[in-house]
Amino acid sequence: MSALPATSREWHLVARPQGWPTAEDVALREVPVAELEEGQILVRNRYFSVDPYMRGRMNDVKSYLPPFQIDRPMDGGAAGEVIASRAEGYTVGDHVVHNFGWREIAVVPAAQAYHVDPALAPLSAYLGVLGMTGLTAYVGLFDTAAFREGDTVFVSGAAGAVGSQVGQLARIKGAKRVIGSAGSDEKVKLLTEEYGFDAAFNYKRGPVGEQLAAAAPEGIDVYFDNVGGDHLEAALDALTVHGRIALCGMISLYNSTEPTPAPRNLALAVIKRLRMEGLLVTDHLAERSRFVRDVAGWLASGELKHHETIVEGIEHGFGAFTGMMRGENTGKMIVALS
Ligand code: NAP
C-alpha cells in the first residue's frame, strides 16, 4: 500500500472581498494532513465544485450557511476516493461525495459523506447533473414551481448547471414551450440546437423584457429565476394570471456593492395573483434517490444532455470560481485534481 499523503494543498479565504473577489482575497496553502479519528475517512478529492453561493459565504453576514472563516479552508462539494478509513461502512477505494472541497486531501466525518457509483456515471457528474445542481433543478421545477404539463417555462442562466437541466426537464415532462436566456450567442445556439429549447436569447444583446416578449408572445406560466434583477422584472411582466416563480438564485446581484432597483413592477404579483417561492436545495435532500433514479434514466435514454466545464489543477481553482461567476462555463464548472 502506498504511503498516505502527509500534506495537502487547500484554498483559504484571507480577506473578505468588496465587490468582485480578487486573487488577493484567497491563498493556496500547503498544510499537514491531520490524523484520522474514529468515524472519519481520508479522501483523495478528484473533483471539487465551484458554485455561485460560495460568493455569499465570503461575506461576513448571517445566512443559511455560516460565512467562510478567514485563514481557514473554504468548503463545498467534492467527489473522490477513500484512501484510509476509520469508519464502518467505508473501505479504501470507495467513491464518495462530501462537502470538504477546495483541497486535495480531505479528512471527512463519514456521517457527512455518501457513496456514489462510478459505474452509473463519471464521478464529476455527482457534482452536477446527478448532484447538487441537478437536484436543485429537479425540486425547483417540480416542487417549488409546481410545473404542470402544458406550461410555458422561462429559465434564466439557461446554459449553466441548474438552468440547462431545468429547461430540459420541462421539455421532457411536456412543457408547451421552453425559453431560456444566456450570456453568449454560442450558449443560445446550444440551448435551441442541443437541449431542445423552443426559443432562447442572449440577454447581453438587448433589453430582457423586449427579448422575452418576442420569445413568448402568449406569456409564460413559470419563471425559474437564477439571475434576479432585470430578468425577474421582465418575467413579472410576461407571467400569465396565476403564474409561478421559483426563486432559485440571483447571480446578477452577488457582487453588487449597492442595493439594486429591479424588479420595479412587483405590484403585478397582486394583479396577476402570482405565486413566488424561494428554494433551498438542502431542504430537499430526502428526494435525492428519486431524483438520481429519474435523471440517470433520462441520461441513459439520451433525452437529457449535459455539459461540464472542467478546469484542471488545484492551482486554477479560484480562477475557475471567478470564471464561473463571469460566465466562462457551459454547464457545471468543476475543478479536476490529478
Ligand atoms: P451556473 O449557471 O452554472 O453558472 C453561473 C452562470 O451565471 C454563469 O455561467 C453566467 O452565465 C451567469 N451569470 C453570471 N452573471 C450574470 C448576470 N449578471 N446576469 C445573468 N447571468 C449571469 O451556476 P449554477 O450553479 O447553475 O447556479 C445558477 C443559479 O442557481 C445561481 O443563482 C445560484 O446561486 C443558484 N443556485 C441556487 C441553489 C438553491 O438551493 N437555491 C442551488 C444551486 C444553485 P451567462 O454566460 O449566461 O451569463
Side-chain angles (χ1 to χ4, degrees):
M1 198 180 85
S2 59
L4 294 175
T7 62
S8 163
R9 287 180 295 169
E10 54 188 35
W11 281 99
H12 289 200
L13 188 70
V14 300
R16 303 225 174 263
Q18 302 299 318
W20 279 86
T22 70
E24 281 69 51
D25 299 322
V26 291
L28 182 62
R29 291 176 171 158
E30 184 152 3
V31 299
V33 174
E35 284 280 315
L36 274 197
E37 292 174 11
E38 200 52 43
Q40 292 182 331
I41 52 177
L42 193 65
V43 180
R44 183 183 296 284
N45 285 338
R46 295 293 179 196
Y47 300 97
F48 69 81
S49 179
V50 287
D51 297 277
Y53 77 88
M54 292 169 175
R55 176 62 190 86
R57 296 194 67 194
M58 293 175 182
N59 298 334
D60 192 14
V61 292
K62 197 164 181 268
S63 186
Y64 58 94
L65 285 172
F68 290 139
Q69 291 175 44
I70 297 293
D71 287 324
R72 296 288 303 147
M74 297 187 283
D75 53 49
E81 209 177 301
V82 175
I83 54 173
S85 172
R86 291 191 61 192
E88 211 178 304
Y90 289 84
T91 52
V92 171
D94 285 358
H95 291 91
V96 292
V97 165
H98 58 83
N99 205 42
F100 294 78
W102 288 99
R103 70 201 78 182
E104 292 171 310
I105 306 293
V107 175
V108 180
Q112 295 175 37
Y114 58 91
H115 282 98
V116 292
D117 181 1
L120 185 66
L123 208 46
S124 57
Y126 293 99
L127 299 179
V129 68
L130 286 171
M132 186 274 280
T133 55
L135 181 61
T136 305
Y138 184 91
V139 298
L141 183 68
F142 298 141
D143 297 349
T144 313
F147 170 82
R148 294 190 289 261
E149 193 180 332
D151 278 342
T152 292
V153 175
F154 170 48
V155 56
S156 53
V162 173
S164 60
Q165 206 154 335
V166 167
Q168 292 185 82
L169 295 184
R171 168 181 50 69
I172 290 167
K173 284 294 196 178
K176 181 176 174 195
R177 190 166 169 79
V178 179
I179 299 149
S181 69
S184 76
D185 294 345
E186 294 71 33
K187 289 183 180 182
V188 164
K189 202 165 161 213
L190 180 76
L191 297 180
T192 53
E193 294 188 1
E194 260 197 66
Y195 293 160
F197 283 56
D198 299 285
F201 61 87
N202 178 348
Y203 68 86
K204 294 177 181 166
R205 286 210 173 269
V208 178
E210 285 174 23
Q211 296 199 79
L212 179 58
E218 293 172 22
I220 59 174
D221 304 301
V222 167
Y223 173 47
F224 194 105
D225 191 17
N226 288 316
V227 167
D230 54 354
H231 272 83
L232 180 53
E233 188 167 299
L236 284 163
D237 279 338
L239 276 155
T240 52
V241 170
H242 296 303
R244 287 144 279 147
I245 303 176
L247 295 173
C248 175
M250 299 201 176
I251 196 167
S252 70
L253 316 183
Y254 293 174
N255 290 305
S256 302
T257 48
E258 303 275 320
T260 44
R264 297 163 297 185
N265 54 351
L266 196 54
L268 286 174
V270 181
I271 296 159
K272 297 185 191 179
R273 287 85 83 201
L274 303 178
R275 189 169 66 73
M276 195 189 277
E277 188 175 318
L279 106 107
L280 259 195
V281 63
T282 44
D283 292 344
H284 298 267
L285 299 181
E287 289 175 61
R288 192 156 49 207
S289 50
R290 181 167 63 97
F291 148 75
V292 170
R293 190 198 57 220
D294 282 354
V295 169
W298 291 321
L299 286 170
S301 69
E303 285 169 281
L304 178 67
K305 299 192 168 53
H306 74 113
H307 279 77
E308 293 169 346
T309 302
I310 299 209
V311 171
E312 300 276 346
I314 191 165
E315 58 281 16
H316 301 300
F318 182 68
F321 170 72
T322 51
M324 176 278 300
M325 294 297 292
R326 280 194 299 269
E328 287 169 13
N329 59 309
T330 298
K332 183 77 192 89
M333 184 67 112
I334 291 170
V335 180
L337 309 177
S338 47

